[in-house]
Amino acid sequence: MISFRIWIPAQNSPGISLDIRNESRADKADILDLMVVLNNEGATHFKGKVEINIPDGFRNISGNSLQVDMKPGEHLFLPVKILVSNNAGSGEARLAFRLSDQQNKTVVEKQILYTVTENNSMRITAENPVIYMNKATDSVEVRARVSNLGNRKQNVTVVFKIPEADQGNAFIEKKGSIGVQKDSVFIFRFMPSRIRSRSSQISVNIAGFREPDREIFGNTTVSIQNVSSVQRYEDMESTAFSNFTKNTITASYRHAGENLDMYQLVGSGGFNLPSGYLFIRGNIYTMNHQSDPIVNNTYLTYHRENSEFTVGNINKLLEVSMFGRGVEYAYTSPDKDKKIEAGFVDQTFSLIERNSFLKYGYGFYTRGVLGAQNASRNISGTYIFRNDPYEKARHHVAGTDIQSAFGKDWKMNTKIYGGLSFYENNQPTKPSLALESQYSGMIKKISLNGNYFYSTDYYPGNRRGILQIQQNFSTMIFKDHYVYANIMASQFSPKFYFYNNTLNSSNIRLDAGINFPKKGNFGMGFGYQYQEENSNSYNNFFNAQPYEDTKQLKAQRLTEYLTWLSPDKQHSSILSMETGLVRYPDNDKPQYQMRVSGTYSYKWLTLNGIYQHGSYFLSEYAFSKMLNKSNTYEKLSLSAFVNKNFFDNKLNITSGVSYTDDILYGKSPSGFLNLKYSREKYALYLNSSYFNYSSGSFNNNLFTIEAGVTVNLRNSTLDPGKKGDIKAFVYYDLNENNIYDEGDKEAAGYLIMLNTISFKTDPSGYISYRSIPYGKYALKQVIQQGWYYDETEFTVDKHHYSLEIPLHQNGTTQGKVTYDFDTKTAVDFTPKTGGILFNIYRNDQLVQHIMTDDNGEFASFLPSGNYRIELNKNSLPTNTYCDRSTAAFKVEAGKIAQLEPFVIKVREKVIRVKKFGS
């Protein structure tokens, strides 16, 4: 878009004046409609010319030289039309008008400034959206065309995302500069990994970024089709949250300290069955001087339709957690909205434990969910039974979870559980209760969220004898200042009949503060902290009776933080400080305390440091007392970590060193070094660590080293339904009777597409698609020179499905485009012959897009029938048109239909001259 901005005063000669009027229309932003107004106020006849000087990207339709013939007192109006091309540079453009006499002497000059609005439009397309790969050893070339549709030079980065064997991705970047109204092709060649090359499809995602802000301007995808004649089904929509599984086995050896050796074998994976699939996970390890190996986190799950059966180690995180060996059954409704599960667990750590069955307790559970797919509104009910030999009790726990939403801002989760415990040894039957509520929402611009939990002292769940209140507030003030307040209070007092001592502890913490808006690369905030801790757990350290009155630590602090991020976003750091006063047990006088921490990061390097003066928790103060240290507790912690890849990400090195110095740990250096070398089918790793503990006269060193190898098996997309195989025979139906009989011939090397998967027939004309889920499949047309097959849909409902595909001969349609224009009267345009688009219709249904080549010619191969071809006018060059843009034609098998050329014409100049006498 162009806007009129500044008039620059003209240099007028006596008697002659020049003025310029802007008559441009808003609906024609690419045309400047100006009127040059000349006045001869002198007493003599004037002859001369007006010369117009315009920058690149502008074209004067009226011509750059206009003749002038004016009598005394005459006014002359000269219309000037200036076409603004797409390649007109953005910013200020200077247009100069010069009036000269017959001796070419300047009489009057005037310049006007126009602003060309910046246009940074870009487009990215794949030159070949589908690439066929015949062999696993084929190299693939992906070509992305980036078009600069704007009016300034663009620096771009094109990122190719290549899927790797482990379902990860490799990102390859190509950089370049593209001139105004120019195209550039970015090419990336790669060899698919052996594991990925066996897949039916590989999708290469391509994204274009505008530099320097890495603003994305477009993306596209290239599908690389494996056209092997035999392929196995893969769910192309699978994600990390679906039934995609990586099948791996890892064997390792670990040596720790002076005499501990451990050998471990870990693996997981799954495979499809004719009906359903199996998933297996295993973990077995043994140590020297150990009679039996340990087998844990090992189970087998069979999925069939909507049911799941699991046997082995069961790890169930419920209100009463269940861990051990057992069985589980789960059923999910077809709409995924309802689910029920039940299981039995023998609480034994190892699957092959020699102790008698049920010795360490057992339990069973059942759980049902309504609205499992609805995150805003669902409800579940749970019942758990646990026999606990340690408490000598039988616990029953039942309850419900309710998830609900109110409007778009408010969400709440409520849990209500009740327990009933039957104790041996004449203990009373004990009822119990647990309540929990979590919510989040907004009141005006204030964000609130809270968590409230209460359980009675004898409640047999995971959280026994707890009262916890947590409430958070936050909002924005002054548009860009963030303020917050967080309150947390808790009381912990569980009780047990088999454990006489009474534990009692409580905590209160308040955090409030403000985060200021960033200034350049810096950010900062200030806050206030209040902390109160009460507990009788450390009374022995204070020479007090173990469970008499609680000891208290109370502190108030001011907090500050400062962050920095470098302009190139490579470096970052954060510095924080807490300072305040604390009141310790057995000491009524407030003490000063502080903590300073800092972090610096650069790509693969992270540095951390912490210095603390004064005890922040009762545990720190109590251990200081235990060691008879009268000095103030101090702690220094320093660490450095490195994570870097080498050799095209094949080798990963992770390493770190740290040093801690305080009363509890003494002077304790430590470090680790981990190496991992990864290839498509295997990975090798070597991990090592060192730790030194030195406090007083006690000193201990621990060195650990571990080596292992991981073997990557073929990955799977697991499907719980029934599956079958499609075997299709493709032949040339030479006698056109849709039956393979005498005279017909098998079609070797012919492309067939089932749904979105492409196959190339083997020498006998067969293709095979294996382990496909029951359901509907579509045979889709792939037009090939000379022959075609009919599209159809069919249903696979048995394990072996046979299909015959007859090929019929098609016809050929050819055409071209030509230009017809007068070079003297034609407006400015850029002729092109390649890339002009045509659409072909049959019965008003679009059947094919075709494009002209660099010679302006096109060809199409179609089944017999009547068709209509239509030129896409949007693909024509600017300032051109075509009077005849559509044509009907007939296709006959084995014949060539030659179309009349499509003639492209060019618009002509329009010149207006106005003369008025006085």
Side-chain angles (χ1 to χ4, degrees):
M1 181 178 178
I2 299 182
S3 60
F4 179 77
R5 285 194 58 196
I6 302 175
W7 289 94
I8 299 180
Q11 301 172 352
N12 291 338
S13 294
I16 301 294
S17 67
L18 181 149
D19 196 7
I20 300 174
R21 298 177 185 174
N22 185 5
E23 299 180 355
S24 302
R25 292 168 52 181
D27 60 341
K28 293 186 176 181
D30 57 344
I31 296 179
L32 275 174
D33 204 343
L34 306 176
M35 185 68 69
V36 177
V37 182
L38 297 171
N39 294 322
N40 187 355
E41 299 173 354
T44 60
H45 192 103
F46 177 82
K47 287 186 178 182
K49 60 182 177 180
V50 175
E51 294 178 324
I52 306 172
N53 187 14
I54 54 179
D56 292 338
F58 292 73
R59 186 175 185 277
N60 190 350
I61 300 175
S62 311
N64 291 332
S65 180
L66 304 176
Q67 297 300 316
V68 175
D69 187 350
M70 301 174 63
K71 297 178 181 179
E74 187 176 11
H75 305 286
L76 184 62
F77 298 83
L78 300 176
V80 175
K81 283 188 178 293
I82 297 178
L83 177 67
V84 185
S85 302
N86 291 330
N87 60 349
S90 61
E92 290 186 342
R94 189 181 301 273
L95 286 73
F97 297 80
R98 173 177 174 266
L99 176 65
S100 60
D101 58 19
Q102 289 181 307
Q103 286 74 39
N104 202 28
K105 292 181 180 180
T106 300
V107 176
V108 177
E109 277 188 323
K110 174 165 275 193
Q111 294 181 347
I112 57 174
L113 293 180
Y114 290 87
T115 299
V116 181
T117 303
E118 182 180 300
N119 178 9
N120 61 358
S121 298
M122 305 283 290
R123 181 177 62 206
I124 184 169
T125 55
E127 286 210 331
N128 298 302
V130 179
I131 299 175
Y132 295 113
M133 186 172 63
N134 295 301
K135 297 181 295 183
T137 56
D138 285 353
S139 176
V140 175
E141 180 180 274
V142 178
R143 300 169 64 91
R145 179 178 293 274
V146 178
S147 303
N148 184 354
L149 308 177
N151 54 15
R152 70 177 182 90
K153 186 178 181 180
Q154 300 270 12
N155 295 318
V156 300
T157 298
V158 177
V159 178
F160 298 84
K161 186 172 77 171
I162 312 299
E164 290 296 328
D166 60 354
Q167 209 196 14
N169 295 290
F171 294 89
I172 309 299
E173 292 189 356
K174 300 281 186 177
K175 297 182 180 293
S177 295
I178 306 176
V180 175
Q181 297 295 307
K182 301 292 184 182
D183 289 356
S184 185
V185 177
F186 293 78
I187 302 173
F188 175 67
R189 300 178 181 88
F190 73 103
M191 179 111 30
S193 65
R194 293 182 180 179
I195 295 177
R196 293 296 302 182
S197 63
R198 294 199 299 263
S199 300
S200 300
Q201 292 185 37
I202 303 174
S203 293
V204 177
N205 295 316
I206 308 172
F209 294 88
R210 184 182 292 108
E211 298 294 354
D213 297 327
R214 299 285 288 191
E215 175 190 359
I216 188 169
F217 62 81
N219 58 76
T220 186
T221 301
V222 173
S223 176
I224 301 170
Q225 301 268 357
N226 181 348
V227 292
S228 170
S229 60
V230 178
Q231 298 189 48
R232 186 175 294 273
Y233 173 81
E234 291 182 23
D235 182 4
M236 305 313 297
E237 300 298 324
S238 65
T239 68
F241 301 101
S242 70
N243 290 331
F244 179 90
T245 180
K246 296 189 291 185
N247 298 330
T248 64
I249 297 177
T250 299
S252 64
Y253 163 76
R254 183 180 305 154
H255 178 79
E258 296 181 356
N259 55 9
L260 178 62
D261 297 288
M262 188 176 83
Y263 305 87
Q264 186 173 20
L265 189 66
V266 179
S268 67
F271 56 90
N272 283 304
L273 300 173
S275 181
Y277 69 88
L278 278 177
F279 181 82
I280 304 172
R281 183 181 297 278
N283 176 39
I284 180 171
Y285 65 89
T286 184
M287 294 178 284
N288 54 332
H289 312 302
Q290 180 178 301
S291 58
D292 296 324
I294 299 295
V295 180
N296 67 340
N297 197 25
T298 298
Y299 59 87
L300 183 150
T301 302
Y302 173 57
H303 296 252
R304 184 181 184 277
E305 301 294 344
N306 300 311
S307 296
E308 299 178 19
F309 304 86
T310 301
V311 59
N313 285 113
I314 304 296
N315 302 321
K316 206 67 180 178
L317 292 173
L318 300 171
E319 193 64 24
V320 179
S321 296
M322 311 290 282
F323 300 97
R325 53 191 179 188
V327 295
E328 181 186 74
Y329 170 75
Y331 173 81
T332 304
S333 62
D335 60 2
K336 309 294 184 184
D337 199 55
K338 295 174 280 293
K339 184 176 182 179
I340 186 170
E341 53 189 3
F344 175 84
V345 178
D346 170 28
Q347 295 194 165
T348 302
F349 181 69
S350 176
L351 275 184
I352 58 174
E353 177 69 51
R354 292 194 181 190
N355 291 308
S356 60
F357 196 55
L358 309 182
K359 178 180 180 179
Y360 299 111
Y362 61 91
F364 61 85
Y365 59 89
T366 182
R367 181 172 181 263
V369 183
L370 295 175
Q373 292 288 96
N374 188 346
S376 299
R377 191 174 298 276
N378 59 70
I379 184 171
S380 66
T382 305
Y383 168 73
I384 307 165
F385 168 78
R386 180 179 176 183
N387 181 286
D388 190 340
Y390 300 100
E391 282 197 88
K392 296 183 179 181
R394 300 184 307 278
H395 302 296
H396 301 264
V397 176
T400 183
D401 294 18
I402 302 173
Q403 180 82 33
S404 54
F406 309 95
K408 64 178 183 178
D409 294 327
W410 289 88
K411 294 181 180 179
M412 178 174 288
N413 183 24
T414 303
K415 297 182 180 181
I416 304 173
Y417 280 86
L420 190 63
S421 300
F422 297 90
Y423 292 90
E424 301 177 12
N425 302 328
N426 298 320
Q427 298 293 345
T429 299
K430 193 70 177 177
S432 55
L433 177 70
L435 303 171
E436 183 174 14
S437 178
Q438 298 174 332
Y439 82 94
S440 64
M442 295 279 293
I443 296 180
K444 294 184 178 180
K445 295 184 179 181
I446 301 176
S447 175
L448 303 96
N449 62 80
N451 183 10
Y452 303 88
F453 179 82
Y454 167 76
S455 64
T456 56
D457 293 343
Y458 286 93
Y459 177 63
N462 301 324
R463 296 173 290 179
R464 176 181 295 210
I466 295 178
L467 172 63
Q468 179 177 298
I469 299 172
Q470 184 174 348
Q471 180 62 58
N472 304 320
F473 305 88
S474 62
T475 189
M476 299 292 290
I477 62 173
F478 309 124
K479 295 185 178 179
D480 50 5
H481 292 66
Y482 178 80
V483 295
Y484 64 91
N486 305 320
I487 304 170
M488 192 276 291
S490 65
Q491 173 74 35
F492 179 60
S493 57
K495 292 183 179 180
F496 306 85
Y497 282 115
F498 74 98
Y499 184 68
N500 294 325
N501 294 325
T502 301
L503 299 174
N504 190 1
S505 64
S506 63
N507 287 276
I508 299 174
R509 183 182 176 109
L510 167 66
D511 286 274
I514 180 170
N515 297 330
F516 295 95
K518 283 189 174 182
K519 296 294 185 182
N521 298 318
F522 292 91
M524 68 175 182
F526 297 98
Y528 165 78
Q529 280 184 2
Y530 173 80
Q531 176 188 340
E532 181 180 321
E533 182 181 4
N534 297 273
S535 178
N536 62 2
S537 302
Y538 306 101
N539 284 9
N540 286 335
F541 299 111
F542 299 103
N543 297 320
Q545 291 300 317
Y547 296 101
E548 61 177 17
D549 293 341
T550 60
K551 300 298 182 181
Q552 184 183 77
L553 181 148
K554 187 185 296 185
Q556 298 187 70
R557 311 182 189 101
L558 294 177
T559 64
E560 308 88 27
Y561 79 86
L562 180 67
T563 63
W564 173 78
L565 180 66
S566 65
D568 60 2
K569 297 180 175 57
Q570 298 295 316
H571 305 261
S572 64
S573 64
I574 180 170
L575 178 67
S576 63
M577 177 179 291
E578 301 173 3
T579 56
L581 297 176
V582 58
R583 191 184 301 275
Y584 297 119
D586 305 331
N587 193 337
D588 293 333
K589 185 178 180 180
Q591 303 285 326
Y592 174 75
Q593 67 173 189
M594 68 169 291
R595 179 161 57 191
V596 180
S597 63
T599 301
Y600 166 77
S601 298
Y602 170 71
K603 292 184 179 178
W604 43 266
L605 173 66
T606 301
L607 303 176
N608 293 296
I610 299 174
Y611 171 73
Q612 179 179 323
H613 176 86
S615 301
Y616 268 58
F617 303 97
L618 273 175
S619 58
E620 294 175 342
Y621 186 74
F623 281 116
S624 298
K625 284 290 185 180
M626 178 188 70
L627 296 173
N628 295 320
K629 298 290 185 179
S630 58
N631 296 333
T632 301
Y633 174 82
E634 288 186 303
K635 180 178 181 179
L636 175 66
S637 177
L638 303 172
S639 61
F641 301 96
V642 170
N643 188 342
K644 190 168 178 59
N645 294 317
F646 298 90
F647 309 120
D648 295 329
N649 296 324
K650 291 183 177 67
L651 177 64
N652 174 261
I653 298 179
T654 304
S655 181
V657 294
S658 63
Y659 173 79
T660 301
D661 183 5
D662 71 352
I663 295 174
L664 177 60
Y665 292 99
K667 296 176 172 59
S668 302
S670 63
F672 70 92
L673 174 64
N674 298 339
L675 306 175
K676 185 174 182 180
Y677 180 75
S678 303
R679 298 301 301 269
E680 295 174 8
K681 293 188 176 181
Y682 66 91
L684 304 173
Y685 66 88
L686 179 66
N687 300 334
S688 62
S689 64
Y690 170 78
F691 173 77
N692 174 267
Y693 172 80
S694 176
S695 180
S697 61
F698 185 78
N699 185 72
N700 184 37
N701 292 286
L702 180 64
F703 178 74
T704 302
I705 188 167
E706 178 184 13
V709 57
T710 298
V711 179
N712 298 319
L713 307 176
R714 182 169 182 174
N715 298 332
S716 300
T717 301
L718 305 177
D719 188 284
K722 294 181 179 180
K723 304 169 195 69
D725 297 338
I726 295 177
K727 189 169 185 179
F729 174 60
V730 186
Y731 63 94
Y732 295 108
D733 188 15
L734 300 176
N735 55 12
E736 299 284 336
N737 64 353
N738 291 323
I739 299 174
Y740 182 68
D741 51 17
E742 185 177 356
D744 294 339
K745 181 182 178 182
E746 66 274 4
Y750 194 90
L751 281 177
I752 297 293
M753 179 176 284
L754 289 174
N755 285 358
T756 59
I757 308 302
S758 299
F759 301 79
K760 181 176 282 189
T761 57
D762 65 15
S764 300
Y766 283 95
I767 64 167
S768 179
Y769 199 13
R770 297 176 178 174
S771 298
I772 62 172
Y774 280 17
K776 288 186 177 181
Y777 290 84
L779 181 63
K780 295 186 177 181
Q781 182 62 260
V782 180
I783 299 293
Q784 294 167 69
Q785 187 171 356
W787 298 88
Y788 72 96
Y789 55 85
D790 293 326
E791 292 190 348
T792 185
E793 284 192 353
F794 56 93
T795 301
V796 175
D797 54 4
K798 55 186 178 181
H799 288 305
H800 300 286
Y801 190 93
S802 298
L803 184 67
E804 285 192 352
I805 305 175
L807 301 179
H808 305 289
Q809 196 170 19
N810 57 26
T812 303
T813 303
Q814 293 180 347
K816 63 180 180 179
V817 296
T818 62
Y819 281 86
D820 181 18
F821 63 96
D822 187 339
T823 56
K824 295 181 180 180
T825 60
V827 301
D828 188 27
F829 79 106
T830 303
K832 73 171 184 177
T833 52
I836 296 176
L837 183 65
F838 287 85
N839 299 324
I840 297 179
Y841 299 87
R842 185 175 188 179
N843 297 326
D844 291 328
Q845 297 292 320
L846 178 67
V847 296
Q848 196 178 62
H849 296 290
I850 55 174
M851 192 177 295
T852 58
D853 58 22
D854 290 340
N855 296 320
E857 299 174 347
F858 61 85
S860 175
F861 306 98
L862 298 166
S864 299
N866 295 315
Y867 296 86
R868 176 173 58 87
I869 187 170
E870 184 177 289
L871 186 149
N872 188 328
K873 297 179 181 179
N874 292 329
S875 64
L876 291 175
T878 304
N879 294 325
T880 64
Y881 63 98
C882 185
D883 288 330
R884 187 183 67 90
S885 60
T886 184
F889 62 96
K890 183 178 181 180
V891 175
E892 298 181 75
K895 296 183 179 181
I896 299 176
Q898 194 73 44
L899 302 180
E900 289 291 328
F902 288 85
V903 180
I904 300 174
K905 297 182 179 181
V906 182
R907 303 188 189 280
E908 296 184 344
K909 302 174 183 176
V910 177
I911 301 175
R912 293 183 299 162
V913 176
K914 299 179 184 179
K915 257 190 178 184
F916 301 89
S918 57

